[in-house]
Amino acid sequence: MYRNIIKPLFDFLLSLALILVLSPVFILLIILLYFFNQKNVFFFQERPGKDERVFRIVKFKTMTDQKDESGNLLPDEFRLTKMGKFVRKTSLDELPQLFNVLKGDMSFIGPRPLLVSYLALYNSEQKRRHIIKPGITGWAQVNGRNTISWEKKFEYDVWYVDHLTFLLDVKILLLTVKKVIKSEGINTAGQATTESFKGNE
């Protein structure tokens, strides 16, 4: 009952309430990012959700679209703006995903929605992370986030799918608040963003 009825209802009501309450924060960030990111405020990308159904995720954009002489995007560390670093460190870049939750594409708690290109790289066990809706935060995020290996992340994701309960979701929410306050696990060591998943060995 919790997984199929209470959790989706909670997602809808809480996302709606937070969007209304945080609207001044949204407006302020839109204004700041408009100037810091060369008018590019939002980042849209297709991601696989429940049952691998593809949807468009929305986040606040933290990097510019600067390219080299050949037209290729510069490395992340050169495109990440000062404002973008702050927004990412405080996890404010995730706020627009409240609209994804409101639409029903995502949940507050669940495996993070990754790239569509990763679908062909998962083994049968890792694919089970798509049995449920993806989340803004999840069990892997509060157990290392971007500082642990991809294999460990997927292990945590599947564990969550098998052990999903109301009390576990509450625990993850509380641990997420703690992680955000301490700014833990934002990036892989030595990199501006996390390293791409290249498949299982």
Side-chain angles (χ1 to χ4, degrees), residues 37-151:
N37 289 3
Q38 302 173 4
K39 301 181 180 180
N40 295 313
V41 177
F42 295 104
F43 170 79
F44 296 93
Q45 191 175 57
E46 290 191 336
R47 300 284 179 93
K50 185 178 183 295
D51 300 323
E52 300 184 3
R53 183 179 63 84
V54 176
F55 69 97
R56 292 188 78 201
I57 195 172
V58 57
K59 303 172 74 172
F60 277 125
K61 196 173 179 67
T62 57
M63 295 186 286
T64 66
D65 293 320
Q66 288 179 291
K67 298 179 180 179
D68 59 24
E69 296 178 353
S70 301
N72 300 312
L73 287 172
L74 293 174
D76 292 349
E77 58 266 27
F78 294 106
R79 296 187 295 119
L80 187 62
T81 65
K82 290 182 179 179
M83 184 62 191
K85 287 180 181 178
F86 170 77
V87 171
R88 181 170 292 185
K89 182 178 181 180
T90 54
S91 295
L92 290 171
D93 59 321
E94 311 285 359
L95 280 183
Q97 289 170 65
L98 289 173
F99 290 96
N100 287 122
V101 176
L102 186 66
K103 286 174 58 183
D105 293 326
M106 294 177 61
S107 174
F108 276 97
I109 312 295
R112 283 295 297 160
L114 303 174
L115 299 179
V116 175
S117 60
Y118 291 177
L119 288 175
L121 303 177
Y122 298 139
N123 60 36
S124 58
E125 181 69 5
Q126 292 166 348
K127 279 181 174 290
R128 295 182 60 237
R129 69 192 304 277
H130 293 290
I131 291 176
I132 62 175
K133 289 181 183 179
I136 294 178
T137 185
W139 190 234
Q141 279 59 54
V142 298
N143 281 284
R145 197 174 176 180
N146 292 331
T147 61
I148 58 178
S149 69
W150 280 109
E151 289 73 18

Side-chain angles (χ1 to χ4, degrees), residues 15-26:
S15 60
L16 180 60
L18 287 176
I19 288 171
L20 294 175
V21 171
L22 297 175
S23 56
V25 178
F26 273 98

